[in-house]
Amino acid sequence: MKTPITVSVTGAAGNIGYALLFRIASGSMFGPEQPVNLRLIEIEPGMKALQGVIMELDDCAFPLLNDVVATSDLEEGFKGANWALLVGSVPRGPGMERGDLLKVNGGIFTGQGKAIAATAADDVRVLVVGNPCNTNALIAMNSAEGVPNDRFFAMTRLDENRAKSQLAAKGGVHNSDITNMCIWGNHSATQYPDYTNAKINGKPVTETITDTEWLQGEFISTVQQRGAAIIKARGASSAASAANGVVDTVRSLTNPTPEGDWTSIAVCSDGSYGIDAGLIASMPIRVDAEGNWDVVPGVELDAFSKEKLDATVQELRDEKAAVADLL
Ligand code: NAX
């Protein structure tokens, strides 16, 4: 048997966890030949529900699922992890300010960063999903001494997929006809889905969709507000599509990017595109045949795009300032 890949998942008994674990165990994430170990991390109140989820995993008799561990001990949970998927976080409660939320979650991600540094595998890669995911990733990265910054990611793939689907519907084409869709900045309502560089069948989006008012207005706001629209319609936040975004992100980071295309992942900025070095910001990423990722250089940003990018980067700066004592 191939050596299993060990995947740690926090918030494993939550909604996204429930949609995600079965995708990982079935082979969607690492392919049909690759066995996996799951190390599932929950806080104490979530442990009973987690046992139920594990019973369901057992009942799938997945051929690729080698081992499952459930724990609320972080060092135990991240032991030997090749991938740490940080999904769990504290939701914003009534009357809670964004700054309070940043601090509460900040405490969680400090501890998780330290535990990852202490017990994860040497090649560990960390994908943060729990919100506010960019800043949570920033905190985890700064707390994980000895783990290189380029191993930390925050998820904007769900936003990218949402943007592709909106463009496809408007343009009367298939999702797979849309390439080069980049979400810039923060995974929040300030994110910038960049239609100016996206392509439909290899040509600028504006050749198919000529309604600039829609592109600059409704398209962007629909993508930015899609999470809230789903809560309104479903009575619960996006879970299956978020889990799918996690699967897509890991697949994109472990497989070469198709020629000429890119994908959106929030990574530690090196200062590209005027984004302060050290911020975790979403930008266009390519992955080579060896599995190394790079920010795509030379993407042109017009005045409209620059203004949108500035706004979302400013929000990331503000978030960073709010948790400065944790960095
Ligand atoms: P749920 O509330 O259903 O589940 C969260 C789970 O995390 C719970 O079971 C809880 O017990 C657990 N948890 C809380 N603190 C923990 C800790 N310190 N260690 C381990 N587990 C802990 O939320 P769910 O719908 O699964 O969403 C999870 C997170 O994903 C939220 O922060 C949500 O805002 C975020 N999302 C991020 C998205 C993205 O694109 N980056 C999109 C979807 C989603 O909104």
Side-chain angles (χ1 to χ4, degrees):
M1 188 174 77
K2 263 176 119 175
T3 308
I5 290 179
T6 298
V7 186
S8 297
V9 182
T10 71
N15 285 309
I16 295 176
Y18 190 67
L20 176 62
L21 301 180
F22 299 84
R23 300 281 307 273
I24 302 172
S26 68
S28 295
M29 190 172 267
F30 298 106
E33 309 288 330
Q34 178 59 58
V36 288
N37 297 324
L38 287 175
R39 302 189 75 85
L40 308 179
I41 304 173
E42 259 295 344
I43 46 176
E44 274 304 327
M47 288 307 281
K48 183 161 173 258
L50 184 56
Q51 287 309 329
V53 177
I54 292 173
M55 287 159 73
E56 287 205 68
L57 281 168
D58 289 346
D59 293 351
C60 293
F62 284 120
L64 294 171
L65 186 54
N66 182 61
D67 188 34
V68 183
V69 168
T71 180
S72 50
D73 180 275
L74 292 178
E75 295 207 350
E76 176 67 13
F78 291 118
K79 198 186 276 174
N82 306 107
W83 279 93
L85 307 177
L86 309 187
V87 179
S89 69
V90 174
R92 190 162 170 176
M96 205 173 187
E97 296 295 329
R98 195 173 167 86
D100 298 335
L101 182 71
L102 284 162
K103 288 240 156 90
V104 172
N105 280 304
I108 294 173
F109 287 84
T110 313
Q112 293 183 353
K114 285 187 179 142
I116 287 168
T119 62
D122 287 345
D123 67 352
V124 68
R125 281 181 273 183
V126 182
L127 174 63
V128 181
V129 178
N131 280 320
C133 63
N134 295 56
T135 297
N136 289 341
L138 180 77
I139 294 166
M141 180 181 83
N142 280 285
S143 307
E145 223 182 300
V147 184
N149 289 357
D150 65 4
R151 309 280 192 80
F152 288 82
F153 310 95
M155 187 169 93
T156 51
R157 179 57 168 269
L158 174 56
D159 308 298
E160 176 186 324
N161 288 345
R162 286 167 169 167
K164 283 182 169 170
S165 137
Q166 293 299 318
L167 291 178
K170 181 78 173 177
V173 296
H174 191 262
N175 298 322
S176 55
D177 297 328
I178 319 278
T179 59
N180 302 83
M181 183 66 235
C182 179
I183 303 294
W184 293 88
N186 203 1
H187 167 70
S188 75
T190 67
Q191 65 177 269
Y192 173 45
D194 178 6
Y195 74 88
T196 69
N197 286 292
K199 291 182 178 155
I200 296 181
N201 289 318
K203 299 197 174 107
V205 164
T206 44
E207 285 188 21
T208 305
I209 303 173
T210 50
D211 184 350
T212 311
E213 199 180 318
W214 180 84
L215 286 167
Q216 295 196 341
E218 198 181 326
F219 163 65
I220 293 176
S221 60
T222 299
V223 177
Q224 290 174 334
Q225 304 295 334
R226 187 70 164 179
I230 285 171
I231 293 175
K232 209 168 155 203
R234 208 174 80 88
S237 65
S238 24
S241 56
N244 182 67
V246 178
V247 172
D248 282 352
T249 308
V250 173
R251 284 173 61 94
S252 287
L253 282 165
T254 47
N255 292 284
T257 310
E259 193 58 39
D261 202 0
W262 58 61
T263 190
S264 312
I265 309 177
V267 297
C268 181
S269 173
D270 62 356
S272 302
Y273 299 102
I275 302 169
D276 317 21
L279 285 179
I280 300 277
S282 183
M283 41 192 129
I285 301 297
R286 278 190 61 80
V287 176
D288 67 19
E290 281 74 50
N292 301 310
W293 66 262
D294 274 305
V295 178
V296 178
V299 176
E300 277 186 33
L301 296 171
D302 63 12
F304 177 82
S305 300
K306 277 192 184 136
E307 196 185 314
K308 295 282 176 197
L309 178 60
D310 284 350
T312 190
V313 170
Q314 186 55 47
E315 185 182 46
L316 287 172
R317 285 188 198 116
D318 294 344
E319 288 189 10
K320 184 179 179 184
V323 299
D325 52 331
L326 298 172
L327 301 176

